[in-house]
Amino acid sequence: MEKEYIVKLLETKQVTHDVKQFRVEKPKGYVFNPGQATDVSINKPEWKEKKNPFTFTGLNDDPFLQFTIKRYPDHHGVTDQLHQLNTGDELILHDVWGAIEYFGPGVFLAGGAGITPFLAIFRQLHRQHQAKGNTLFFSNKTVADIIEHQELIDILGVRATFILSNDDTPAAGMYLHTRIDKNFLQSQITDFQQPFYICGPDQMVKDLGDTLKSLGADPESVVFEK
């Protein structure tokens, strides 16, 4: 039977206009690999059975667990409720799961909140001075939607490329305005034998997985949540 861990909310921080960082108590002996996730519910009678998966965005060495969660207010669901919680409120965590794991330097393809498993991976690599050789292509609708924008630049430098799909403001002028598709990948990447890591909307993950294979990527080297 899956274990449940009741933990208190320690701190929240606004990351973007609709994304918050949550730090919660870390149960004794609770470990994960960067890129993995757990199911989370809110410890209130009407929400206890409503579990949503969220990726850890902190590190195992941290004395707390951290999540970075986008709010979807129109859904009136768990993310909307999470963003209304206060310090001291309780969450219920479950066992660790997830197939996104780092296997060596490669290309990371992220869409929106799909950056979250990569945050833990990049932070761990940065702490170990091993982030060199990794490339990120990160697609969002607008500049304001980019999660941990400056930190990604600090870690990856010019190898962090930000792509916008729906922003015609002056601030968006310095970014690429395109889609991550076959033509884009062929224009940006010369080596399709390196590892590829994909996370984002389901259709994006499927399309990019198929595209990479058609470009010669080894299916065993294309990492995504199965």
Side-chain angles (χ1 to χ4, degrees):
M1 183 176 176
E2 187 180 35
K3 290 189 71 172
E4 292 186 348
Y5 306 85
I6 297 175
V7 296
K8 281 189 170 63
L9 179 59
L10 302 174
E11 179 187 345
T12 65
K13 182 178 81 171
Q14 203 74 35
V15 176
T16 73
H17 62 100
D18 61 357
V19 174
K20 264 187 179 181
Q21 179 189 97
F22 295 79
R23 290 185 176 181
V24 303
E25 293 174 326
K26 184 176 185 178
K28 186 176 181 180
Y30 197 88
V31 297
F32 62 91
N33 292 323
Q36 289 191 304
T38 187
D39 291 321
V40 178
S41 54
I42 299 167
N43 194 22
K44 294 181 180 179
E46 66 274 31
W47 292 99
K48 289 176 73 167
E49 303 304 318
K50 297 178 180 179
K51 298 188 292 186
N52 274 30
F54 296 111
T55 308
F56 304 103
T57 53
L59 303 177
N60 259 326
D61 293 344
D62 294 334
F64 50 79
L65 295 175
Q66 180 177 294
F67 303 93
T68 304
I69 299 174
K70 182 174 180 177
R71 183 181 194 177
Y72 297 92
D74 295 345
H75 297 180
H76 305 293
V78 173
T79 65
D80 188 42
Q81 288 297 312
L82 282 168
H83 274 244
Q84 297 177 51
L85 294 181
N86 298 305
T87 300
D89 287 338
E90 291 181 342
L91 302 180
I92 304 172
L93 310 183
H94 298 79
D95 292 336
V96 173
W97 57 270
I100 295 181
E101 192 172 344
Y102 184 69
F103 293 103
V107 176
F108 290 77
L109 306 171
I115 192 67
T116 54
F118 302 157
L119 288 177
I121 291 172
F122 291 145
R123 286 165 172 166
Q124 184 69 45
L125 292 172
H126 186 57
R127 182 174 292 184
Q128 298 171 338
H129 306 288
Q130 294 178 358
K132 187 177 179 181
N134 289 291
T135 300
L136 170 67
F137 296 104
F138 186 13
S139 179
N140 288 275
K141 290 180 181 178
T142 72
V143 174
D145 295 318
I146 302 174
I147 297 170
E148 301 296 8
H149 189 178
Q150 187 57 51
E151 183 182 6
L152 291 168
I153 293 173
D154 292 342
I155 293 174
L156 297 168
V158 296
R159 296 182 77 109
T161 298
F162 302 96
I163 299 153
L164 304 178
S165 63
N166 188 28
D167 193 338
D168 56 6
T169 63
M174 60 184 289
Y175 299 87
L176 294 179
H177 294 256
T178 184
R179 292 179 65 245
I180 302 178
D181 56 16
K182 187 172 185 176
N183 289 337
F184 177 83
L185 294 175
Q186 286 179 307
S187 72
Q188 299 290 324
I189 299 167
T190 56
D191 175 16
F192 285 94
Q193 299 307 304
Q194 63 186 310
F196 287 87
Y197 306 87
I198 314 172
C199 194
D202 291 344
Q203 193 61 50
M204 172 189 171
V205 173
K206 181 184 183 305
D207 291 347
L208 287 178
D210 292 342
T211 298
L212 287 168
K213 291 167 193 173
S214 76
L215 291 170
D218 180 353
E220 296 298 316
S221 296
V222 179
V223 179
F224 59 93
E225 198 61 71
K226 299 175 176 65

